[in-house]
Amino acid sequence: MDDSKSTLCSCCDERGQVESETCRKNEPVTFLFPMYKPEIHEEPQVVYKDNQQNPSIFLYDFVIDSIDTPSGRVPIVDTNLRFKDLIGSWKVRWGIGRMNYRVIPGIYGIGRPDETSPVFVTANYKMSFDRLRKALSGLNAWILVLDTEGINVWCAAGKGRFGTDEIIRQIEKTGLKKIVSHKVIIVPQLGATGVRAHEVKARTGFKVIYGPVRADDIKIFLAEGMKAKPYMRSVSFGFVDRIVLIPMELVQSLKYIAIFFVIAFALHLTGIIEITFSHIYPFIGAVIAGCVVVPAILPWLPGRAFSLKGWILGFLWAVAVIIMNGSLNRLKVTDIFAILMLLPPISAFLSLNFTGASTYTSLSGVKKEMRIAIPAIITSVVIGLITGITGFFIRQ
Amino acid sequence: MKDYYLKNVATLLLDDNRCTSCGMCIEVCPRDVFKRNGKRVMIVDRDACMECGACMMNCPFSAVRVNAGVGCAYAVIKGAITGEEPNCCCSSSGKNTCC
Ligand code: SF4
Ligand code: SF4
């Protein structure tokens, strides 16, 4: 999506000045919903001079003030999230325009920061940034936003984008050495996967202290003298952590449901078979079991492999379908067998996909699981289809 | 509560000869895999390891080895199709996201 240009009107581009009021009035609304204003997109439109912020940084409506530092003017951001920010997070959860949800990399201030204030490093994924500024309310601090292409800290660190080189680049680009007198930066612990603390220290003089995993623990972390307690270090994957992932899983599985509907509709049109609700709901149920129910009740499902957890739930659903359909019309043995072979692998495959969103699966483990699960899933589906089709023609 | 994935698969290794027990790995590990036992730092919960690689990156003495990667089935499938190493599925081309 390249609506980035339309969000920056020409007056700011040319003069590089902040006239946010006039700018917003000229801003063409290119969005579907008129009450929306598009995010101001990354991609600096202005060439950087030495240690100068990209002027469009001051246009954000979460920028409430600015402060002059030996390294140029720095925007001060609001620590209250507004309705627009919250709507933004909601859109992200549902996978709407997710990849464009970023902020301009560089340095931002919180409160009235001075040269002794702590420096927090984060990704330029808007949600990471929002969570951090909210957690810093009431403090005086600096936020150093790395260019992670709008990806969150954990994923960007895994790709090395949130990493040693990018930290060093932003330290130099923002002139951090002139802004603060101390030599410490606080990096979220989940960024450690991409950062070599000793290398940052050797190349810039800045010592990396790993902060808590959750931004909400930052105040306690500071109060303890920048020491993260053990509970701040470990990643939790509790009920709420899993629930918020469900919309994304659901959106991704919509394509499977769509494919199924197309096939079912095509079959219906050919007149070979009359597709009714009793053909459709078992599949939708199996998809929901795999991408909604499994994430919700993950730890309580037996087994360690995700596909096994999904298969068990899918099997229970298949049994339920047999009971429900059986009470409506008589099911043949081939139908029952086909249901048992077709539905559980659908749930199994979708829960296998949830490994990516979980916070404790390892690559070696996933590879091992897939070596067994994928052939089993394919075999089961093939057998199920053959039985179902054979049964259908025998009945004719 | 600590969730566990498959047993005996993590590729994590600690070289006792190189390790100076500085404790950096304890600090960066999100899964409490290392503990200090007396003076020495050791692996106490290998099955909890999610192979994120943070310990290997941050060990100043290169004493930890692990095949780091993302535990994401989607990424493994995509890696197998494109012939690349499984990378985080949040690809920069930006359509498919799992994390
Ligand atoms: S970081 Fe390296 S040297 Fe330090 S305790 Fe861990 S393994 Fe040993
Ligand atoms: S790879 Fe990650 S989870 Fe495994 S021991 Fe190292 S830091 Fe801990």
Side-chain angles (χ1 to χ4, degrees):
Chain A
M1 267 183 266
D2 196 10
D3 49 9
S4 56
K5 288 204 179 66
S6 63
T7 62
L8 288 173
C9 41
S10 54
C11 59
C12 324
D13 263 356
E14 280 159 18
R15 286 183 271 154
Q17 287 176 355
V18 194
E19 292 185 13
S20 50
E21 279 322 301
T22 42
C23 284
R24 293 223 181 84
K25 275 181 210 135
N26 296 342
E27 194 175 62
V29 179
T30 53
F31 225 68
L32 206 55
F33 307 104
M35 61 277 198
Y36 265 108
K37 279 182 191 151
E39 313 304 328
I40 293 177
H41 198 268
E42 207 245 313
E43 301 324 325
Q45 309 270 315
V46 186
V47 182
Y48 283 97
K49 294 180 206 130
D50 269 347
N51 301 330
Q52 285 230 328
Q53 298 276 353
N54 176 347
S56 44
I57 217 168
F58 296 96
L59 295 180
Y60 284 127
D61 51 12
F62 54 73
V63 169
I64 47 172
D65 201 353
S66 66
I67 186 168
D68 284 315
T69 74
S71 181
R73 205 148 61 93
V74 171
I76 299 290
V77 297
D78 199 352
T79 54
N80 294 313
L81 300 189
R82 300 177 192 182
F83 182 65
K84 190 184 161 200
D85 302 316
L86 300 176
I87 282 285
S89 316
W90 180 85
K91 276 165 59 193
V92 167
R93 291 259 173 253
W94 287 91
I96 309 168
R98 185 171 214 232
M99 281 301 149
N100 289 332
Y101 208 46
R102 45 177 85 177
V103 288
I104 300 171
I107 190 146
Y108 296 79
I110 295 276
R112 292 318 291 173
D114 59 20
E115 75 275 4
T116 62
S117 304
V119 180
F120 292 88
V121 180
T122 191
N124 76 330
Y125 178 50
K126 176 90 176 355
M127 266 171 85
S128 310
F129 179 77
D130 279 354
R131 218 172 282 146
L132 180 59
R133 65 187 166 102
K134 180 164 173 258
L136 294 175
S137 66
L139 299 174
N140 298 324
W142 303 101
I143 299 181
L144 186 67
V145 178
L146 305 188
D147 183 1
T148 60
E149 295 169 342
I151 296 171
N152 69 40
V153 174
W154 169 249
C155 287
K159 296 169 68 146
R161 194 79 183 109
F162 186 104
T164 315
D165 290 341
E166 177 59 14
I167 290 187
I168 293 168
R169 202 173 73 92
Q170 291 296 344
I171 286 178
E172 280 162 9
K173 195 157 147 184
T174 56
L176 188 63
K177 284 188 180 116
K178 288 193 267 170
I179 298 177
V180 292
S181 56
H182 61 76
K183 282 272 181 284
V184 173
I185 52 173
I186 300 162
V187 175
Q189 193 200 326
L190 290 184
T193 307
V195 178
R196 280 180 208 281
H198 48 279
E199 200 180 321
V200 174
K201 169 101 178 151
R203 284 166 59 186
T204 64
F206 278 94
K207 180 178 185 316
V208 170
I209 291 190
Y210 288 110
V213 167
R214 283 164 298 271
D216 294 344
D217 290 332
I218 282 175
K219 282 185 184 150
I220 312 174
F221 166 80
L222 288 178
E224 298 276 325
M226 294 200 193
K227 288 240 162 16
K229 293 181 173 175
Y231 79 87
M232 297 182 195
R233 294 245 166 268
S234 54
V235 179
S236 63
F237 199 47
F239 190 65
V240 176
D241 301 313
R242 297 193 307 271
I243 290 292
V244 297
L245 295 170
I246 289 178
M248 201 65 193
E249 298 293 311
L250 202 56
V251 167
Q252 283 184 7
S253 66
L254 281 182
K255 58 173 180 274
Y256 300 110
I257 297 185
I259 292 171
F260 174 73
F261 265 103
V262 169
I263 296 174
F265 191 62
L267 278 176
H268 191 78
L269 283 186
T270 59
I272 302 174
I273 178 169
E274 200 188 334
I275 302 287
T276 61
F277 180 69
S278 64
H279 293 99
I280 291 177
Y281 86 89
F283 285 89
I284 296 181
V287 169
I288 300 221
C291 69
V292 175
V293 186
V294 168
I297 62 172
L298 192 74
W300 303 292
L301 284 167
R304 288 194 173 199
F306 281 41
S307 49
L308 179 62
K309 289 170 185 277
W311 188 87
I312 292 172
L313 203 67
F315 185 79
L316 294 178
W317 170 244
V319 171
V321 166
I322 290 167
I323 294 171
M324 286 187 284
N325 271 8
S327 65
L328 292 176
N329 38 6
R330 276 170 46 91
L331 288 174
K332 296 204 302 181
V333 180
T334 46
D335 293 339
I336 293 176
F337 189 72
I339 290 174
L340 287 179
M341 288 312 243
L342 281 176
L343 297 187
I346 295 175
S347 312
F349 181 73
L350 290 169
S351 22
L352 181 63
N353 268 348
F354 192 60
T355 49
S358 78
T359 55
Y360 64 91
T361 51
S362 61
L363 179 58
S364 307
V366 168
K367 280 185 172 166
K368 183 178 176 187
E369 171 167 1
M370 288 177 74
R371 272 198 294 276
I372 302 165
I374 295 290
I377 287 172
I378 293 174
T379 317
S380 178
V381 169
V382 170
I383 295 178
L385 283 177
I386 292 174
T387 332
I389 294 168
T390 326
F392 175 75
F393 282 111
I394 290 172
R395 180 166 30 197
Q396 295 294 310
Chain B
M1 191 185 65
K2 204 161 167 181
D3 300 296
Y4 284 94
Y5 194 40
L6 307 187
K7 276 184 207 160
N8 301 323
V9 286
T11 50
L12 181 71
L13 289 173
L14 173 65
D15 183 346
D16 280 330
N17 296 324
R18 289 178 171 227
C19 175
T20 60
S21 295
C22 70
M24 195 62 188
C25 50
I26 303 180
E27 230 172 85
V28 296
C29 178
R31 299 279 298 153
D32 285 331
V33 170
F34 301 92
K35 281 261 150 33
R36 192 179 288 279
N37 193 339
K39 274 205 179 115
R40 298 223 50 89
V41 167
M42 27 200 208
I43 298 173
V44 292
D45 197 358
R46 182 183 268 105
D47 280 345
C49 174
M50 60 193 284
E51 300 185 327
C52 70
C55 50
M56 180 166 69
M57 285 293 277
N58 285 280
C59 172
F61 305 95
S62 313
V64 197
R65 285 210 56 81
V66 59
N67 282 342
V70 286
C72 168
Y74 186 83
V76 175
I77 296 174
K78 208 173 95 189
I81 294 171
T82 58
E84 288 164 16
E85 270 296 289
N87 203 328
C88 190
C89 3
C90 339
S91 62
S92 38
S93 60
K95 280 294 155 271
N96 292 299
T97 51
C98 74
C99 15

